[in-house]
């Protein structure tokens, strides 16, 4: 957990202020019992009212000063820990942004959300407690022992007997609770996963009448988390009754032996009262310290999970000498590319070689699982090829910075992804500096202008999270507009026309031909009608190239392509 404290560096001055204030507050707490002792032994016994009033007023000043220090320390601690949490969340988010899809698969989206929210909150809470008690608890304990011994060294033997009992109880209880904290966070991950799947898949769940099944699945994860949380709470909450029992027994022992010492004139009544106060302060400081130590195990588990993310080295990182594309023409070449997904038994694509040039449309077609979308993932460096090379303008994409590479590509994913905000915001996601005219033109080319105009606020209409207030075809067209507004050198359409009707599809392809005349266009498609007019068609079968050529050439030379065409088009359309 202490590795995370490097994020406290910007708050060094604030931490110094907190420690100084808590030091002063502890001094005031230690001084009050001595003043009370003086009032009893000098003022009360001798009936000296002016002395009682003078020392009592001074006690009020000391108590008020301690209170002010405590309040200011609480404010500074809150600002420090909140800032720490903000920095840590930002750093964690930035790290996750660098992850490849492989790291997302390994850690899991639900777990990443838990680590960014709940785990950081756990560490933040412990840090707050540590700042408040890091100086206060040890000083109150040590100072209390010193002051108690100064009052009566013999009576201090009661405290010597009590302190090991408290320490032993804590280590026994904490030892049983620590292993459960890791289980608790893991089960919280599981609950988040079930909840996330339920919310994102609500349409499918209701369509298949699986609401009861999902409810039971959630209740099972919830009960599992609750059972572990209850068990941890039961174990850790037993600390407080044990502490209180020990404190009360110690107080009784102090009063018992103290009364004997008073009777024997070894100690005055005021000093005995002060001794009791110091004994309570010692044990209370140990309770505070125990509270921190009880919170540390769970925070340590959370810190380990956070550090696991921060220390994860992404599989794909820019080289130190990464180049920035200079020509930016869009010449693209796959050369003997082979790639396997992690854990897969066989490669997703094998020995893929083909080229694509500016001003041409290159289409990729094949059956389900043939590797079409994999090529898009490799081009964008979501994964790196196991062997072979991909070149853009003659430069291996591994030698280019990822930002430079992706700046040249307008990508339309297979599953349209939109973000909460307005229609205009979503289109501008492709180019932040796009003018209103550029946004409108991109929408018109994508055949989205009509339905956008029909919306209540036009381009300023709000899109719900995930685009749930739009149809599949509308979401696809906005995704296409987002890529078009970027005006890239390479367009990658990953089966992004599947939700469009044939009429809209035809109009869109005609508009795209004008808009992308000078760019390299790659179209991954399932429908033959979408790619019949492509300059070059790459046919994939089981991860390998089964044929390359125009529509007419492939009808003559490629059996796999003929099968695909025959399954979709009539004989008249083929002819």
């Amino acid at each position: 957990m202490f590795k995370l404290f490097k994020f406290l560096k910007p708050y060094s001055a604030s931490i110094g202020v907190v420690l100084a204030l808590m030091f002063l507050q502890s001094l005031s707490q230690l001084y009050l019992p001595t003043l009370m002792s003086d009032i009893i032994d000098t003022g009360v016994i001798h009936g000296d009212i002016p002395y009682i009033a003078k020392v009592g007023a001074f006690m009020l000043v000391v108590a008020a000063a301690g209170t002010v220090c405590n309040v200011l320390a609480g404010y500074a601690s809150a600002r420090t820990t909140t800032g720490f949490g903000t920095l840590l969340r930002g750093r964690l988010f930035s790290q996750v942004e660098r992850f490849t899809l492989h790291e997302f698969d390994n850690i899991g989206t639900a777990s990443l959300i838990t680590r960014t929210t709940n785990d950081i909150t756990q560490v933040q809470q412990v840090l707050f407690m540590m700042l408040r008690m890091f100086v206060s608890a040890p000083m109150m304990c040590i100072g209390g022992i010193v002051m108690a011994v100064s009052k009566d060294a013999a009576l201090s033997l009661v405290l010597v007997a009590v302190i090991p009992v408290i320490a032993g109880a804590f280590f026994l209880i904490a030892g049983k609770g620590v292993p459960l904290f890791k289980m608790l966070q893991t089960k919280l991950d599981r609950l988040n996963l079930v909840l996330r799947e339920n919310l994102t898949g609500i349409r499918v769940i209701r369509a298949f009448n699986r609401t009861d099944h999902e409810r039971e699945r959630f209740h099972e994860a919830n009960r599992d988390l609750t059972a572990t949380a209850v068990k941890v709470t039961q174990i850790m909450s037993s600390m407080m009754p044990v502490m209180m029992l020990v404190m009360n027994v110690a107080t009784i022992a102090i009063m018992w032996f103290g009364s004997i010492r008073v009777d024997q004139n070894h100690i005055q009544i005021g000093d005995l009262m002060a001794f009791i106060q110091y004994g309570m302060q010692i044990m209370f400081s140990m309770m505070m310290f125990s509270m921190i130590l009880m919170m540390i195990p769970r925070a340590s588990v959370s810190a380990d999970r956070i550090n696991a993310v921060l220390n994860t080295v992404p599989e794909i990182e820019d080289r130190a000498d990464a180049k920035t594309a200079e020509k930016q023409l869009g010449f693209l070449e796959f050369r003997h590319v082979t790639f396997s997904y992690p854990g897969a038994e066989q490669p997703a694509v094998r020995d893929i070689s083909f080229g694509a040039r500016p001003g041409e449309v290159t289409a990729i077609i094949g059956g389900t699982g043939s590797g079409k979308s994999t090529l898009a993932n490799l081009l964008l460096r979501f994964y790196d090829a196991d062997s072979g090379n991909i070149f853009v303008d003659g430069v291996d994409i591994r030698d280019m910075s990822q930002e430079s590479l992706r700046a040249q590509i307008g990508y339309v994913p297979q599953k349209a992804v939109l973000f909460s905000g307005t229609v205009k915001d979503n289109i501008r996601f492709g180019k932040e500096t796009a003018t209103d005219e550029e946004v409108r033109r991109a929408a018109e080319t994508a055949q989205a202008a009509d339905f956008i105009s029909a919306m209540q606020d036009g381009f300023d209409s709000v899109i719900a999270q995930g685009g749930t207030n739009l149809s599949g075809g509308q979401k696809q067209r906005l995704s296409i507009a987002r890529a078009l507004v970027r005006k890239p050198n390479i367009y990658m359409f990953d089966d992004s026309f599947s939700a469009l009707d044939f009429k809209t599809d035809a109009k869109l392809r005609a508009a795209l031909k004008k808009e992308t005349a000078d760019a390299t266009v790659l179209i991954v498609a399932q429908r033959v009608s979408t790619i019949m007019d492509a300059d070059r068609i790459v046919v994939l079968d089981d991860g390998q190239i089964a044929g390359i050529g125009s529509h007419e050439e492939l009808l003559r030379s490629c059996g796999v392509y003929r099968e695909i065409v025959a399954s979709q088009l009539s004989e008249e359309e083929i002819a």
Side-chain angles (χ1 to χ4, degrees):
M1 182 171 69
F2 295 101
K3 292 180 181 178
L4 296 178
F5 288 172
K6 61 185 178 183
F7 293 99
L8 285 171
K9 191 174 181 180
Y11 301 96
S12 302
S14 181
I15 292 172
V17 170
V18 172
L19 297 182
L21 289 170
M22 293 309 299
F23 178 77
L24 294 174
Q25 190 264 345
S26 299
L27 286 179
S28 71
Q29 289 292 103
L30 289 170
Y31 192 33
L32 287 174
T34 297
L35 292 174
M36 182 191 67
S37 172
D38 292 341
I39 288 176
I40 294 173
D41 291 339
T42 304
V44 174
I45 291 179
H46 296 96
D48 191 344
I49 302 300
Y51 182 84
I52 295 174
K54 183 179 70 174
V55 177
F58 186 58
M59 282 185 70
L60 288 175
V61 172
V62 172
T67 301
V68 170
C69 289
N70 196 20
V71 171
L72 292 176
Y75 175 75
S77 298
R79 285 183 61 88
T80 300
T81 53
T82 302
F84 166 81
T86 301
L87 284 178
L88 187 53
R89 274 189 295 271
R91 180 67 182 85
L92 200 67
F93 182 80
S94 298
Q95 175 73 353
V96 171
E97 287 281 276
R98 295 170 54 223
F99 281 176
T100 66
L101 300 185
H102 186 201
E103 278 90 44
F104 277 103
D105 294 339
N106 281 343
I107 300 176
T109 305
S111 183
L112 286 172
I113 293 172
T114 305
R115 295 178 199 219
T116 310
T117 52
N118 182 270
D119 285 329
I120 289 180
T121 300
Q122 296 295 332
V123 176
Q124 192 174 318
Q125 288 175 345
V126 168
L127 177 60
F128 180 79
M129 295 289 290
M130 289 179 68
L131 284 176
R132 296 298 308 276
M133 300 178 184
F134 185 76
V135 171
S136 179
M139 187 173 177
M140 292 285 288
C141 184
I142 296 170
I145 291 172
V146 172
M147 296 299 291
V149 171
S150 69
K151 296 296 181 184
D152 193 328
L155 195 57
S156 299
L157 293 175
V158 175
L159 300 177
V160 173
V162 167
I163 291 174
V165 175
I166 295 176
F170 166 75
F171 286 112
L172 179 64
I173 293 170
K176 292 183 178 181
V178 169
L180 295 173
F181 284 121
K182 190 169 185 178
M183 293 174 56
L184 193 67
Q185 295 303 106
T186 302
K187 290 177 180 181
L188 183 59
D189 283 347
R190 173 64 183 169
L191 184 69
N192 280 341
L193 174 65
V194 174
L195 178 60
R196 186 172 179 273
E197 287 182 344
N198 190 278
L199 295 176
T200 55
I202 190 66
R203 289 175 174 80
V204 176
I205 293 168
R206 289 178 177 174
F208 285 89
N209 288 325
R210 300 290 285 176
T211 305
D212 291 340
H213 172 267
E214 288 300 311
R215 186 182 294 116
E216 180 55 35
R217 198 161 73 103
F218 178 82
H219 287 330
E220 182 182 347
N222 197 19
R223 284 192 296 265
D224 196 20
L225 174 64
T226 302
T228 305
V230 168
K231 191 173 182 181
V232 170
T233 304
Q234 286 175 339
I235 292 173
M236 302 309 286
S237 62
S238 62
M239 175 64 73
M240 189 60 68
V242 170
M243 289 286 190
M244 294 303 298
L245 176 63
V246 173
M247 284 179 64
N248 289 327
V249 170
T251 302
I252 293 171
I254 290 171
M255 295 184 70
W256 175 273
F257 292 109
S259 63
I260 296 174
R261 301 282 291 170
V262 169
D263 190 53
Q264 296 174 350
N265 292 320
H266 291 302
I267 187 174
Q268 295 185 13
I269 295 176
D271 288 337
L272 176 60
M273 296 296 292
F275 190 96
I276 293 172
Q277 289 293 315
Y278 286 126
M280 294 295 289
Q281 286 181 355
I282 292 167
M283 287 181 281
F284 185 71
S285 66
M286 292 193 69
M287 281 184 61
M288 290 193 298
F289 198 65
S290 298
M291 287 173 62
I292 297 175
L293 293 179
M294 281 192 295
M295 295 177 69
I296 284 176
R298 184 173 185 183
S300 296
V301 172
S302 295
D304 289 341
R305 286 157 52 88
I306 294 168
N307 279 316
V309 176
L310 294 177
N311 295 333
T312 298
V313 179
E315 288 186 351
I316 299 175
E317 288 194 290
D318 293 340
R319 295 176 179 174
D321 58 347
K323 302 175 183 177
T324 301
E326 298 178 359
K327 296 180 182 178
Q328 296 188 349
L329 298 175
F331 286 96
L332 176 64
E333 182 183 4
F334 282 73
R335 189 181 298 173
H336 304 294
V337 172
T338 297
F339 171 75
S340 299
Y341 286 103
E345 295 181 358
Q346 60 182 11
V349 291
R350 294 188 296 275
D351 196 29
I352 301 297
S353 296
F354 69 90
R357 295 188 292 271
E360 293 184 349
V361 176
T362 301
I364 303 171
I365 195 168
T368 302
S370 59
K372 303 185 299 298
S373 294
T374 299
L375 296 182
N377 289 333
L378 293 173
L379 174 60
L380 287 153
R381 284 199 80 191
F382 293 156
Y383 297 98
D384 267 344
D386 298 335
S387 62
N389 307 86
I390 303 173
F391 296 94
V392 173
D393 291 328
V395 179
D396 192 320
I397 62 173
R398 291 190 183 94
D399 296 329
M400 301 169 62
S401 69
Q402 295 176 64
E403 184 177 356
S404 173
L405 169 66
R406 292 166 186 162
Q408 299 185 67
I409 301 172
Y411 175 56
V412 184
Q414 188 172 15
K415 181 181 178 182
V417 176
L418 298 179
F419 302 92
S420 54
T422 64
V423 172
K424 189 185 298 181
D425 291 337
N426 272 272
I427 297 177
R428 278 207 177 112
F429 196 86
K431 182 183 176 184
E432 290 183 65
T433 58
T435 63
D436 289 347
E437 180 57 33
E438 288 176 322
V439 169
R440 186 173 300 279
R441 181 177 175 182
E444 289 173 352
T445 304
Q447 307 304 303
D450 289 344
F451 81 79
I452 293 174
S453 300
M455 299 174 75
Q456 184 174 359
D457 297 316
F459 282 88
D460 293 318
S461 298
V462 175
I463 293 178
Q465 183 179 6
T468 53
N469 58 338
L470 298 176
S471 69
Q474 289 172 336
K475 287 193 285 187
Q476 277 195 342
R477 281 177 278 173
L478 285 182
S479 295
I480 293 169
R482 181 173 59 201
L484 289 171
V485 79
R486 195 170 200 174
K487 293 185 172 64
N489 303 308
I490 301 170
Y491 288 91
M492 169 57 80
F493 299 99
D494 186 4
D495 199 16
S496 47
F497 308 104
S498 57
L500 305 179
D501 60 79
F502 286 98
K503 180 180 177 181
T504 305
D505 187 355
K507 290 172 65 178
L508 176 56
R509 283 187 286 115
L512 282 175
K513 187 174 291 187
K514 298 177 183 177
E515 190 69 23
T516 63
D518 298 325
T520 301
V521 179
L522 273 75
I523 299 177
V524 173
Q526 298 277 4
R527 294 201 307 226
V528 174
S529 59
T530 302
I531 51 93
M532 283 176 60
D533 298 328
D535 298 287
R536 184 181 301 99
I537 300 173
V538 179
V539 183
L540 295 182
D541 183 38
D542 195 25
Q544 293 179 299
I545 292 180
I548 299 178
S550 66
H551 174 69
E552 292 77 13
E553 291 170 347
L554 290 172
L555 283 176
R556 293 192 299 269
S557 62
C558 182
V560 174
Y561 186 71
R562 282 198 300 270
E563 289 179 9
I564 296 173
V565 172
S567 66
Q568 296 185 24
L569 303 180
S570 65
E571 292 184 7
E572 292 79 6
E573 289 174 314
I574 296 174

